[in-house]
């Protein structure tokens, strides 16, 4: 594997390290200081380490940790069931309307988790939409541990779908074809050749699913609260919201979450690095996908089934609620009207301001995180030394911390009186928080993709006279571009509806889609909140589809490797 010369390596390392230190290490450091020093928020350094023993002694904290791990394991398994089959089919075969399916499966990221949970509640609860349509009541099944895992799975399975399809597109079918020439059957060639080469992408997606599962707040809070099933993140929220506020207890819970994700990261890193997964070298090869033939209709049926369960049902519930005059009126034509959309389309309204603010914040966050991810990936995969492992571990820390706790860390860090200039109280602090929270996604995608690009391509470019900057700009970045663009679109989708950090950090008078919708639910205007969610989902989906079609005309795609 080739290595950049010291000057270029040092420059790339400094840039990546500076970004991670500012966005990640700073708020994390303040959280750790709070965990170590119980009185840190009051400016006291007394009683160091006096409460760390509670991590192993508090039965409630231990139960929350156990529940968190159990829930994350079930969600990972569910995401494999939903995302792996269609991801394999998308990566290896020509799927009619493939780009449209990609946008459809991106929709779960456009729906705030707490909105999706409410949509499923209104669908499956007693006298809910399913009961009104088919006379079926599944409320008892929804308000259980299995129900929570099911709803969270439907929010996260696209991560596995996109990662698997991108990885398999990079692998292609040429290795399996060579195996078949040697006498292997198609199934054996896939299981022994093609699928193992995509392991980095699968492992990266499962790491993100695990991290998002243990830090997700909306779904457990909405559904699990009725069953007494408490996880770490809801426990942390309780400590931050109920009087007396327990900052130290919240910090201890965050430390446990960080430890869990770091352990998962080391497992994923061991899987991805214990053997070579290079699937692309300097040799030209056709990546033409196979035709489905007689299997076209069954495969499209499978895609439609997954889309119906994971996308259509919650989306239909959101849209239906947005057009209801009253909730009590139910699914009746006489109860449908557009009154709840009128405030949104009013010129200069708060809703219009929220849409614009969320739009530009999401777009800037996507570009910033992609640039940082490219730099981190090059250092981690192409660099040398133990510092690159520390950098890789640091990049996943934001997913180990609930967004609300990370927001507290950002407040503590950027509101410090020792800073000569602070971003706190400005819209820029939202950009800092969004980038910190969402940075792990493009980094994991970029690192997984770069591990599939053989170092011989770098060597060949240098032999041809290319400099270090040219190798990066004309060889590595173009090959990483599909994964980076796909990650940018995921970041854009998630940032456009981010809630927790926005509530904690938005300056006075600044509104985002998430804070607007949350305020509507707080005020009892469920239909207006659903109307805003519907409009935001429609606008974001249209933008993502337009970008994807434009890229396709340029000879590429945000969803093709």
């Amino acid at each position: 594997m080739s290595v950049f010369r010291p000057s270029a390596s040092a420059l790339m390392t400094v840039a990546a390290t500076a970004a991670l230190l500012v966005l990640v290490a700073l708020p994390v450091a303040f959280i750790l200081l709070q965990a170590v020093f119980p009185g840190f928020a009051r400016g006291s350094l007394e009683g160091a380490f006096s409460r760390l023993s509670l991590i192993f002694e508090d039965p409630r904290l231990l139960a929350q940790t156990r529940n968190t791990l159990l829930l994350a394991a079930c969600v990972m398994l569910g995401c494999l069931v939903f995302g792996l089959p269609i991801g394999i089919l998308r990566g290896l075969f020509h799927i009619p309307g493939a780009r449209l399916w990609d946008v459809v499966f991106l929709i779960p990221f456009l729906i705030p988790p707490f909105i999706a949970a409410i949509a499923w509640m209104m669908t499956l609860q007693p006298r809910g939409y399913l009961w009104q349509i088919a006379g079926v009541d599944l409320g008892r099944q929804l308000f259980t541990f299995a129900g929570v895992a099911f709803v969270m799975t439907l929010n996260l399975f696209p991560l596995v779908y996109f990662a698997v399809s991108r990885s398999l597109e990079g692998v292609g079918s040429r290795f399996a074809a060579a195996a078949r020439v040697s006498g292997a059957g198609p199934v054996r060639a896939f299981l022994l050749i093609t699928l193992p080469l995509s392991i980095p992408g699968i492992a990266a997606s499962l790491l993100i699913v695990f991290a998002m599962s243990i830090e997700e707040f909306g779904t457990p809070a909405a559904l699990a609260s009725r069953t007494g099933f408490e996880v770490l993140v809801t426990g942390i929220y309780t400590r931050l919201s109920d009087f007396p506020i327990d900052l130290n207890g919240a910090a201890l819970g965050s430390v446990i979450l960080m430890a869990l994700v770091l352990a998962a990261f080391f497992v994923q890193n061991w899987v991805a690095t214990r053997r070579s997964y290079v699937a692309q070298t300097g040799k030209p090869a056709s990546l033409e996908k196979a035709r489905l033939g007689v299997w076209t209709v069954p495969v499209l049926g499978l895609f439609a089934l997954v889309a119906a369960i994971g996308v259509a049902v919650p989306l239909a519930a959101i849209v239906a609620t947005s057009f209801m005059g009253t909730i009590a009126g139910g699914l009746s034509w006489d109860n449908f009207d557009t009154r709840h959309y009128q405030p949104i389309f009013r010129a200069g309204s708060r809703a219009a301001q929220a849409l614009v603010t969320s739009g530009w914040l999401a777009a800037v966050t996507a570009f910033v995180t992609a640039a940082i991810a490219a730099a981190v990936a090059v250092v981690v995969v192409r660099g040398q030394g133990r510092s690159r492992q520390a950098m890789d571990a640091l990049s996943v820390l934001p997913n180990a911390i609930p967004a609300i706790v990370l927001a507290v860390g950002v407040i503590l860090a950027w509101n410090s009186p020792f800073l000569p200039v602070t971003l706190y109280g400005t819209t820029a602090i939202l950009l800092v928080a969004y980038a910190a929270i969402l940075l792990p996604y493009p980094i994991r995608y970029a690192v997984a993709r770069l591990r599939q690009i053989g170092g011989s391509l770098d060597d060949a470019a240098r032999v041809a006279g290319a400099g270090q900057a040219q190798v990066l700009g004309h060889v590595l970045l173009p090959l990483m571009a599909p994964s980076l663009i796909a990650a940018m679109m995921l970041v854009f989708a998630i940032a456009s509806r981010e809630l927790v950090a926005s509530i904690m950090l938005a300056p006075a008078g600044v509104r985002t889609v998430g804070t607007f919708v949350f305020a509507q639910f707080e005020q009892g205007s469920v239909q207006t909140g659903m109307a805003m969610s519907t409009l935001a989902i429609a606008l974001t989906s249209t933008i993502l589809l337009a970008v994807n079609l434009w890229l396709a005309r340029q000879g590429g795609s945000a969803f093709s490797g």
Side-chain angles (χ1 to χ4, degrees):
M1 181 178 292
S2 59
V3 180
F4 288 125
R5 289 194 295 268
S7 58
S9 177
L11 181 62
M12 189 74 70
T13 302
V14 168
T17 302
L20 291 177
L21 287 177
V22 172
L23 294 176
V24 180
L26 196 61
V28 169
F30 275 83
I31 292 172
L32 292 176
L33 287 171
Q34 182 62 55
V36 172
F37 302 102
F40 181 75
R42 303 187 301 271
S44 172
L45 298 180
E46 297 179 356
F49 302 101
S50 61
R51 296 195 63 187
L52 287 181
S53 61
L54 292 179
I55 293 178
F56 307 100
E57 298 174 357
D58 188 340
R60 184 182 177 190
L61 205 57
L62 293 175
Q64 291 170 357
T65 303
R66 182 176 61 253
N67 293 343
T68 298
L69 287 172
L70 179 61
L71 181 61
C74 291
V75 172
M76 289 170 63
L77 180 61
C79 287
L80 284 176
V81 172
F82 274 84
L84 187 61
I86 58 176
I88 291 172
L89 292 169
R90 174 68 175 88
L92 296 180
F93 295 93
H94 175 75
I95 306 295
R99 294 188 180 93
L100 180 59
W101 287 116
D102 288 336
V103 175
V104 168
F105 290 132
L106 196 63
I107 290 177
F109 288 107
L110 310 182
I111 305 176
F114 75 96
I115 293 293
I118 293 174
W120 279 105
M121 288 173 59
M122 303 191 72
T123 300
L124 301 182
Q125 68 184 354
R127 297 189 178 274
Y129 299 150
L130 183 61
W131 182 87
Q132 296 178 41
I133 295 173
V136 178
D137 179 5
L138 296 178
R140 291 184 178 180
Q141 287 73 27
L142 177 64
F143 297 110
T144 62
F145 167 77
V148 176
F150 174 75
V151 173
M152 290 179 65
T153 294
L154 297 181
N155 291 336
L156 298 176
F157 81 89
L159 285 168
V160 175
Y161 166 77
F162 285 115
V164 171
S165 59
R166 296 300 78 79
S167 296
L168 290 178
E169 281 183 337
V171 172
S173 59
R174 58 191 183 277
F175 296 107
R180 296 189 64 181
V181 169
S182 301
V187 175
R188 186 179 183 187
F190 170 77
L191 294 177
L192 298 181
I193 304 296
T194 307
L195 187 60
L197 285 173
S198 66
I199 283 178
I202 297 174
S205 68
L206 289 179
L207 173 63
I208 296 176
V209 168
F210 176 86
M212 293 188 71
S213 297
I214 69 172
E215 70 94 27
E216 169 56 32
F217 169 76
T219 304
L223 300 179
S225 58
R226 300 192 182 188
T227 66
F229 186 86
E230 191 176 34
V231 293
L232 280 170
V233 67
T234 54
I236 292 170
Y237 176 78
T238 300
R239 288 180 169 89
L240 288 175
S241 59
D242 291 353
F243 184 82
I245 294 176
D246 183 9
L247 283 176
N248 188 253
L252 290 176
S254 298
V255 170
I256 297 176
L257 287 177
M258 284 189 283
L260 293 178
V261 171
L262 284 176
F265 160 75
F266 285 118
V267 172
Q268 181 262 340
N269 191 61
W270 175 79
V271 171
T273 58
R274 68 191 182 99
R275 62 179 63 180
S276 174
Y277 296 98
V278 173
Q280 190 163 348
T281 63
K283 297 180 180 180
S286 174
L287 296 180
E288 183 67 24
K289 297 182 179 180
R291 298 282 175 174
L292 289 168
V294 297
W295 291 97
T296 299
V297 173
V299 167
L300 290 179
L302 176 62
F303 273 68
L305 177 62
V306 175
I309 297 174
V311 181
V313 171
L315 190 60
I318 293 171
V319 174
T321 305
S322 71
F323 283 101
M324 283 185 177
T326 62
I327 298 296
L331 297 175
S332 171
W333 289 113
D334 297 336
N335 192 37
F336 289 130
D337 56 45
T338 60
R339 73 180 75 171
H340 301 290
Y341 283 88
Q342 295 173 5
I344 299 176
F345 289 103
R346 189 178 300 123
S349 66
R350 295 180 178 180
Q353 296 173 5
L355 283 171
V356 172
T357 301
S358 287
W360 76 259
L361 278 173
V364 175
T365 302
F367 280 101
V368 169
T369 55
I372 297 173
V376 171
V378 171
V379 173
V380 169
V381 179
R382 290 294 197 261
Q384 288 182 327
R386 295 183 178 179
S387 60
R388 64 193 183 101
Q389 296 179 351
M391 181 180 297
D392 203 11
L394 183 61
S395 69
V396 303
L397 275 184
N399 261 349
I401 310 172
I404 190 170
V405 178
L406 184 60
V408 171
V410 171
I411 292 173
L412 292 173
W414 289 94
N415 202 31
S416 171
F418 301 103
L419 292 178
V421 179
T422 180
L423 300 178
Y424 186 73
T426 69
T427 308
I429 198 67
L430 289 175
L431 178 61
V432 171
Y434 287 4
I437 293 170
L438 300 174
L439 188 58
Y441 310 142
I443 287 180
R444 297 267 61 80
Y445 276 61
V447 169
R449 177 58 181 148
L450 191 54
R451 283 198 172 112
Q452 293 182 309
I453 301 174
S456 59
L457 294 173
D458 306 24
D459 299 333
R462 290 196 184 91
V463 169
Q468 298 169 0
Q470 291 175 309
V471 172
L472 179 63
H474 297 286
V475 178
L476 297 182
L477 286 181
L479 291 173
M480 294 168 61
S483 292
L484 284 174
I485 295 176
M488 286 174 63
M489 298 185 79
L490 291 177
V491 169
F492 178 87
I494 298 173
S496 65
R497 48 79 166 171
E498 202 284 330
L499 172 63
V500 177
S502 300
I503 290 178
M504 299 288 291
L505 296 167
V510 176
R511 299 175 183 85
T512 66
V513 168
T515 58
F516 178 86
V517 171
F518 185 80
Q520 299 307 307
F521 281 98
E522 287 284 292
Q523 298 166 10
S525 303
V526 177
Q527 298 98 312
T528 303
M530 290 298 196
M532 181 62 159
S533 298
T534 300
L535 182 60
I537 292 168
L539 289 175
T540 309
S541 299
T542 301
I543 292 172
L544 296 180
L545 180 59
V547 171
N548 195 40
L549 292 176
W550 177 80
L551 289 170
R553 294 192 184 98
Q554 307 303 311
S557 171
F559 301 105
S560 61

